[in-house]
Structures are given as C-alpha cells and as structure tokens.
C-alpha cells in the first residue's frame, strides 16, 4: 500500500518572503523531490496544513493507519523526513517503534491521529 507524505508547500515558517524568493515550504518540497522517490511513498504538496506557528509542516497518512503531523521542518531535514516516511510505509499500522523513528520525528511531532472509523 502506498502512503502519502503531505508537505505544506506554502509555509513561510514565520518569516517574510522577499520578492523573487520561494517560501520555506516550497524549498522543502524541492529538497524532497531532489532526493528522489521512496518506494511506497507518494509525495503530495498541499497549500496549507494549518500548522503555521510550527514552521514547515509535513504529515504522513494511509488508509487504516495512524496519521502523524510533524512541524518545524526545513529543507535540511529532507533526508530524515524521507527516512521516516519509508519507516512509516514499512509499518503495517503506521506506528513506527520509537527508537526506529528519525530524531526529528521523535522530537517534532505535533499530532497523532487514529485511523478513521476504527476503535482506538
């Protein structure tokens, strides 16, 4: 099953965006795309994840799995984000054991959302 990595492409990370420059979220999407695809993971830029006060936000989701929202991401975090997405794709329920998560996913989690329609 393919999981979805949502990335807020319009995030400004709380900083002004000078004329002729790209917002931090757009730069993050570009950094993730530059690293190439991850098997089982679909990268999907979105306009807003409503985590504006938390810098660049990403989310991982798939049907029947727990979903996660992470914040304070930057383009420098792209390798760890993709490593975390790969681990999430490999976990049958979306719950990656704590020690197997990249450090940024352990420290910068904003929300964990149970699968819709399933008991928790």
């Amino acid at each position: 099953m393919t999981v979805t990595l949502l990335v807020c492409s319009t995030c400004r990370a709380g900083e002004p965006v000078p004329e002729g420059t790209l917002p931090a979220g757009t730069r993050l999407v570009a950094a993730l795309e530059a690293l190439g695809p991850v098997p089982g993971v679909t990268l999907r830029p979105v306009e807003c994840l409503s985590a504006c006060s938390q810098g660049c936000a990403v989310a991982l989701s798939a049907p029947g799995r727990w979903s996660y929202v992470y914040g304070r991401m930057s383009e420098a975090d792209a390798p760890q984000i993709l490593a975390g997405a790969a681990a999430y794709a490999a976990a049958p329920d979306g719950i990656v054991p704590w020690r197997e998560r990249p450090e940024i996913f352990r420290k910068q989690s904003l929300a964990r959302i149970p699968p819709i329609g399933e008991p928790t």
Side-chain angles (χ1 to χ4, degrees):
M1 168 192 307
T2 299
V3 302
T4 302
L5 171 60
L6 302 159
V7 183
C8 181
S9 63
T10 57
C11 184
R12 296 174 182 216
E15 300 175 5
V17 180
E19 182 77 28
T21 63
L22 298 173
T26 301
R27 295 192 314 268
L28 176 56
V29 170
L32 292 165
E33 290 174 337
L35 292 173
V38 172
V41 177
T42 299
L43 176 64
R44 182 174 159 214
V46 295
E47 286 192 19
C48 186
L49 289 173
S50 290
C52 304
S53 66
Q54 296 296 321
C56 290
V58 302
L60 286 166
S61 66
R65 295 178 184 223
W66 283 80
S67 297
Y68 293 85
V69 180
Y70 302 98
R72 301 178 306 281
M73 301 289 162
S74 73
E75 54 198 291
D77 298 319
Q80 285 191 71
I81 293 168
L82 292 181
Y88 178 84
D93 56 3
I95 300 174
V96 178
W98 179 259
R99 294 179 193 265
E100 295 175 26
R101 297 176 193 173
E103 185 175 352
I104 59 169
F105 280 14
R106 284 183 263 155
K107 293 185 175 185
Q108 294 166 216
S109 178
L110 302 180
R112 182 175 102 134
I113 305 160
I116 294 175
E118 295 184 24
T120 56

